[in-house]
Amino acid sequence: MTDTAPTGGLDRRGFFRAGVAATATLAALGPLEALSARTAGAAPLTKRQSSPDYGPLSPVRDQTTGLPLLALPRGFEYLSYGWTGDVMSDGTPTPGMHDGMAAFTRRDGRIALVRNHEQGGYTGAFTEPAYDPAATGGTTNLVFDPEKGEFTESWASLSGTIRNCAGGPTPWGTWLTCEETTEIGPDGTRHGYVFEVPFDRKGDPSPLKGMGRFSHEAVAVDPGTGIVYLTEDATPSGFYRYLPRKRGKLEAGGTLQMLVVETPEGGSYSTYTDGTGTRYRTSWVTVPNPDYAPGETRPAEQGAALGAAVFRRLEGAWWGNDRVYIVSTSGGPKGQGQVFEYDPRTERMRVLFASPDATVLNNPDNICVSPRGGIVLCEDGSEGEYLHGLTTDGEIFPFALNRVVIPEGGVPGKKVAPGDYSGSEWCGSTFEPKRGNWLFVNAQTPGITFAITGPWRRGSL
């Protein structure tokens, strides 16, 4: 059954010292929890024009090119790397359409990154071996030295896939890259799978078919159990979990299940318009045919027929605080987005936050959490392309603004065409795992990876 109730609970350091009881109460909550409390209480909520703790944004020059590609708060700096067309360490030109990404700490203290490329089309794979030799999507790997503040190497790690959108890191040091499509290639190759890529070498171009064939978006892995939770960017979409036969050995097979929101009549439940505070009792049903073929029923419809819940465009997912946080980009009463929280220990789920207005939050996509507990949302909206942070008392603020404009004549050493790319979405935000001194993020077009550092501890990230 569903019901509404106040949210509460994640403890984070506060940055507002007003001696008002209500403010103090909100400051004791995590940012999404505080947003939930404010919205549920019908408190006025507006998006700040600058960070209350880091300050306003202003143009900052890229240490690589000298161009003012980003606007950031005072004290923050960045460098760019891996532009589309740049030749990598293995001699391969960097593919375009940078998307999801995760960071891993190597034994030598350097940071390894695995980066998606959401390329479509069938003009040929950019590395071998490839799943589908004609398909152009895939992943690349990067290495970053956090002490010197420089990228040291890069290579192509997987190709022959299509529209590698998001994914997620595993506790055993791999990246799960997801195909956001169910296309059929010219030679009949079926797409719509998840592939596994280690952070230190090439990936295996063999699809993990047990995890289903659908428009995959993101994954979050429970480090205690090895269960993989998966989102689907479609409407209707399902929220899935993959129960592997062997923890950490996803290729050994397993069972794909879809979340059920329990209702009195036992039918499928739509979460499309549910607002902040809505709570659910949940269970799971097994999807009979996860690897569906053309002409057969897709997994979300199979699950719905068995009573599973349906969502509107599930995208970002993140494991943290022993829970899974899931983003519905266009769900909620206003169609501007929902953030769900699922607790696998209690089998309970709730709408942690539903945007009350586009001016507050406009269609969130990726979500990530810093080692200090701060939350970053990649907003896929229509009025400027921002990375947003969340304050302790539940206010959304812009942390970074895309200002990428390539001048006439281009950039020396770069193959990117001149033009205004400031409308390109942010993708793949991920912090240096342990110390959190660096935030890595992509501008999808023209395809650039940024490494941002600065006085993080001065504020809520």
Side-chain angles (χ1 to χ4, degrees), residues 361-374:
L361 185 63
N362 182 202
N363 301 128
D365 192 333
N366 291 168
I367 183 173
C368 78
V369 181
S370 84
R372 291 167 294 277

Side-chain angles (χ1 to χ4, degrees), residues 110-348:
R110 294 187 176 185
I111 306 303
L113 296 146
V114 189
R115 177 181 61 194
N116 275 358
H117 296 273
E118 197 184 9
Q119 296 188 146
Y122 298 92
T123 57
F126 58 78
T127 192
E128 296 292 341
Y131 169 62
D132 177 349
T136 61
T139 63
T140 54
N141 289 31
L142 318 172
V143 178
F144 183 79
D145 186 334
E147 297 302 323
K148 295 183 178 179
E150 63 181 21
F151 288 92
T152 61
E153 59 181 311
S154 56
W155 66 90
S157 53
L158 179 76
S159 191
T161 51
I162 289 289
R163 293 192 64 186
N164 296 68
C165 194
T170 70
W172 47 91
T174 62
W175 166 252
L176 297 178
T177 181
C178 298
E179 290 187 300
E180 188 196 2
T181 185
T182 53
E183 291 182 20
I184 307 295
D187 66 352
T189 300
R190 288 188 284 176
H191 291 273
Y193 296 111
V194 178
F195 298 78
E196 191 164 17
V197 182
F199 70 75
D200 57 353
R201 59 189 184 277
K202 284 197 171 188
D204 183 351
S206 302
L208 299 170
K209 292 188 176 181
M211 300 177 80
R213 177 174 174 262
F214 52 84
S215 189
H216 285 277
E217 179 70 27
V219 304
V221 184
D222 183 337
T225 64
I227 294 174
V228 182
Y229 295 90
L230 309 97
T231 62
E232 177 181 18
D233 190 358
T235 302
S237 65
F239 178 53
Y240 304 89
R241 72 177 182 183
Y242 179 66
L243 307 175
R245 293 193 183 99
K246 296 182 179 180
R247 184 186 182 280
K249 302 291 182 182
L250 304 179
E251 72 281 0
T255 302
L256 185 71
Q257 297 184 322
M258 189 167 159
L259 183 91
V260 174
V261 169
E262 297 177 359
T263 61
E265 67 277 7
S268 176
Y269 181 84
S270 168
T271 64
Y272 292 177
T273 60
D274 287 345
T276 299
T278 306
R279 296 175 181 265
Y280 315 99
R281 295 191 181 99
T282 68
S283 56
W284 298 85
V285 292
T286 297
V287 177
N289 180 25
D291 185 19
Y292 85 109
E296 297 177 343
T297 304
R298 68 186 186 93
E301 294 171 347
Q302 295 177 45
L306 297 172
V310 292
F311 300 80
R312 181 180 286 158
R313 291 195 62 200
L314 289 185
E315 296 206 48
W318 191 272
W319 177 269
N321 307 303
D322 296 325
R323 294 166 173 81
V324 185
Y325 297 98
I326 311 110
V327 174
S328 169
T329 293
S330 52
K334 302 296 184 179
Q336 295 298 319
Q338 297 159 307
V339 178
F340 295 88
E341 178 190 73
Y342 171 72
D343 184 346
R345 308 307 192 264
T346 63
E347 291 280 17
R348 295 293 186 267

Side-chain angles (χ1 to χ4, degrees), residues 289-442:
N289 180 25
D291 185 19
Y292 85 109
E296 297 177 343
T297 304
R298 68 186 186 93
E301 294 171 347
Q302 295 177 45
L306 297 172
V310 292
F311 300 80
R312 181 180 286 158
R313 291 195 62 200
L314 289 185
E315 296 206 48
W318 191 272
W319 177 269
N321 307 303
D322 296 325
R323 294 166 173 81
V324 185
Y325 297 98
I326 311 110
V327 174
S328 169
T329 293
S330 52
K334 302 296 184 179
Q336 295 298 319
Q338 297 159 307
V339 178
F340 295 88
E341 178 190 73
Y342 171 72
D343 184 346
R345 308 307 192 264
T346 63
E347 291 280 17
R348 295 293 186 267
M349 189 174 188
R350 60 173 169 164
V351 182
L352 198 56
F353 174 65
S355 177
D357 190 87
T359 61
V360 175
L361 185 63
N362 182 202
N363 301 128
D365 192 333
N366 291 168
I367 183 173
C368 78
V369 181
S370 84
R372 291 167 294 277
I375 291 177
V376 173
L377 281 170
C378 294
E379 187 180 65
D380 191 6
S382 57
E383 296 182 9
E385 291 295 337
Y386 288 97
L387 279 181
H388 285 84
L390 296 170
T391 70
T392 314
D393 72 343
E395 292 182 281
I396 297 175
F397 67 89
F399 171 75
L401 174 65
N402 178 352
R403 299 184 77 252
V404 177
V405 177
I406 307 303
E408 290 298 326
V411 179
K414 304 299 179 186
K415 298 182 179 180
V416 171
D420 185 345
Y421 299 94
S422 61
S424 173
E425 66 178 288
W426 293 96
C427 305
S429 57
T430 181
F431 279 89
E432 175 188 3
K434 292 184 179 179
R435 295 184 297 175
N437 290 335
W438 293 89
L439 171 67
F440 304 94
V441 66
N442 298 318

